[in-house]
Amino acid sequence: MLSHVAYIEDDSLTAICSNIPNVKDRGKLVHRLVEAYGLFKFMKIFPVIPASRDDLVSFHSQSYVDFLFEANEWSDFEQREDDQLEYGLGYDCPLFKNIYEFASLVAGGSLTAAKVLVDGDAQVAINWCGGWHHAQRDEAKGFCYVNDIVIAIHKLRERFDRVLYIDLDAHHGDGVENAFSFSPKVMTVSFHNYDLGFFPCSGAINEVGFGAGKYYSVNVPLKDGVTDEQYSWLFTGVMDLVKTVFRSDAIVVQCGADCLTGDPVGTFNLTPHSLGVCVQKVLSWQQPTLFLGGGGYNITNTAKCWTFLTSLMVGQNLSSDIPDHPYFLRYGPDFDIEISVGLRKNNNIPSDLKKIVDMISTNLSQIL
């Protein structure tokens, strides 16, 4: 069994995350399923230390943080609509009451997890309420109001010189990549859908970073219908290359579950087993590692997935039968932890996937 696994669990963070309609109650389902399987006893549980304004401006602009602070108590969100639009607040990121408190808690969850690793209190830290990878320095984007990942990476770099960031979400991790696109100290690797019109319409294989950070951004663009076997093969091939050229001191993994089959916004055929292959490979490197949530809009499938991944981190096997607990009825009619393989048409041709690995190999060879 792996020892020294930390888990962030805080009622305030879980409750306030329910303000995002697309993931309402998701945190509660995840935590209670992890608890129902008895996994808490194999981990150290840490409450959230809210992020300070100084923590938030370690990445976000002062003006954006000030706006969130000012808007925290608003009740009429139609006022100052022009200012809201300036900061990306509208459409997919609607303003809501206690928005600053939300940002402080979301960032604080991942900061708390990162601090656990920095202080050496655990080798693995988990924050399933984190992973908001689209937020930019001065605007909200794609359901993401604060980029807890970038802020957590800054905290990790207080102790760990080189940080590897891996993004498994169905969507390109654009906010994190943009934050470090000029840095050779943080390598970002994103596996995502890159079909025409798929949000955020970035993450092509030739997007490799800039200046001193050129070739430290790695993108793995995929098409609809990728399978567990293809995804596992790609992850192994790409990450073996990455590990050879980028000798990381710590790792951050965003485990967005919208890459799973059955997700209302995802287009892949994946089950949690391929994500499990990815997680186990990262764990085998035995480096301080922060695991985060992210997308995942089929709420019960996301809870199943993250509970399964948690079980791998603590070295426990799960019964296929969902245990009785307050949210048990949400898992009907089968009440099974397994997720069936998707049947969406697979547009990923093996020769194209090999070309992706070959091109990444060529790009990475430039920094040897």
Side-chain angles (χ1 to χ4, degrees):
M1 183 189 77
L2 287 172
S3 59
H4 306 302
V5 177
Y7 188 92
I8 305 301
E9 202 271 335
D10 191 294
D11 289 344
S12 297
L13 173 60
T14 303
I16 207 164
C17 283
S18 293
N19 283 331
I20 301 180
N22 294 51
V23 295
K24 185 173 178 60
D25 292 336
R26 188 180 70 180
K28 296 176 185 177
L29 263 69
V30 173
H31 296 324
R32 298 291 74 85
L33 189 59
V34 171
E35 179 183 49
Y37 270 108
L39 300 181
F40 277 178
K41 64 177 175 281
F42 300 104
M43 301 182 286
K44 302 176 183 179
I45 309 301
F46 288 80
V48 172
I49 301 171
S52 67
R53 291 179 78 165
D54 285 344
D55 291 329
L56 296 177
V57 298
S58 70
F59 171 58
H60 292 289
S61 67
Q62 186 71 58
S63 62
Y64 179 61
V65 174
D66 287 346
F67 183 83
L68 294 180
F69 186 80
E70 180 184 340
N72 196 63
E73 301 300 329
W74 286 3
S75 55
D76 181 5
F77 299 124
E78 293 183 2
Q79 61 180 308
R80 294 181 59 175
E81 285 186 348
D82 290 344
D83 284 344
Q84 292 184 52
L85 293 175
E86 178 184 349
Y87 295 113
L89 296 163
Y91 186 53
D92 60 354
C93 293
L95 201 58
F96 53 82
K97 190 172 174 60
N98 298 322
I99 185 67
Y100 177 81
E101 182 184 354
F102 168 82
S104 176
L105 285 169
V106 166
S110 295
L111 263 177
T112 302
K115 186 176 185 299
V116 166
L117 299 177
V118 167
D119 293 345
D121 292 330
Q123 180 77 359
V124 170
I126 306 167
N127 177 29
W128 293 132
C129 286
W132 304 96
H133 60 171
H134 293 307
Q136 306 293 321
R137 181 175 181 271
D138 53 6
E139 67 173 342
K141 182 178 179 182
F143 309 139
C144 304
Y145 296 81
V146 59
N147 203 313
D148 61 296
I149 306 171
V150 174
I151 294 169
I153 289 173
H154 284 311
K155 167 57 76 173
L156 289 173
R157 292 208 61 247
E158 292 179 6
R159 176 181 175 186
F160 306 109
D161 185 47
R162 295 159 70 87
V163 177
L164 172 62
Y165 172 69
I166 306 169
D167 194 309
L168 306 179
D169 198 284
H171 302 84
H172 177 225
D174 57 338
V176 184
E177 180 179 306
N178 291 343
F180 297 109
S181 60
F182 285 88
S183 174
K185 295 294 187 177
V186 178
M187 177 171 281
T188 62
V189 185
S190 179
F191 297 78
H192 52 265
N193 187 310
Y194 188 63
D195 272 335
L196 183 65
F198 193 82
F199 183 86
C201 302
S202 59
I205 197 166
N206 60 358
E207 295 173 25
V208 296
F210 306 95
K214 190 173 184 180
Y215 302 116
Y216 287 84
S217 297
V218 178
N219 284 298
V220 186
L222 301 169
K223 298 177 181 178
D224 290 357
V226 68
T227 66
D228 278 343
E229 292 76 14
Q230 289 176 326
Y231 199 86
S232 301
W233 179 83
L234 267 173
F235 186 87
T236 299
V238 170
M239 297 315 302
D240 282 347
L241 293 169
V242 166
K243 192 172 187 296
T244 299
V245 302
F246 187 77
R247 293 172 177 81
S248 59
D249 302 300
I251 305 168
V252 178
V253 186
Q254 197 264 26
C255 302
D258 51 7
C259 64
L260 297 179
T261 182
D263 193 276
V265 303
T267 63
F268 292 164
N269 286 319
L270 302 183
T271 74
H273 290 285
S274 53
L275 296 192
V277 170
C278 303
V279 165
Q280 288 180 306
K281 185 166 187 65
V282 172
L283 290 173
S284 74
W285 296 340
Q286 298 186 333
Q287 292 192 337
T289 304
L290 171 56
F291 289 98
L292 302 171
Y297 308 101
N298 181 319
I299 304 303
T300 55
N301 278 359
T302 299
K304 289 179 182 182
C305 178
W306 290 347
T307 300
F308 169 66
L309 297 183
T310 303
S311 76
L312 297 179
M313 296 172 205
V314 298
Q316 298 297 305
N317 295 320
L318 299 182
S319 165
S320 61
D321 296 326
I322 298 288
D324 189 25
H325 69 291
Y327 294 102
F328 177 75
L329 293 179
R330 298 282 290 268
Y331 296 93
D334 59 345
F335 304 101
D336 194 312
I337 193 71
E338 296 291 332
I339 298 173
S340 299
V341 174
L343 301 176
R344 182 183 290 267
K345 180 183 177 183
N346 183 8
N347 295 327
N348 296 274
I349 302 170
S351 59
D352 288 344
L353 299 182
K354 184 178 185 303
K355 287 177 184 177
I356 289 173
V357 176
D358 290 343
M359 189 172 297
I360 290 172
S361 177
T362 298
N363 290 341
L364 290 175
S365 69
Q366 305 301 310
I367 60 175
L368 282 174

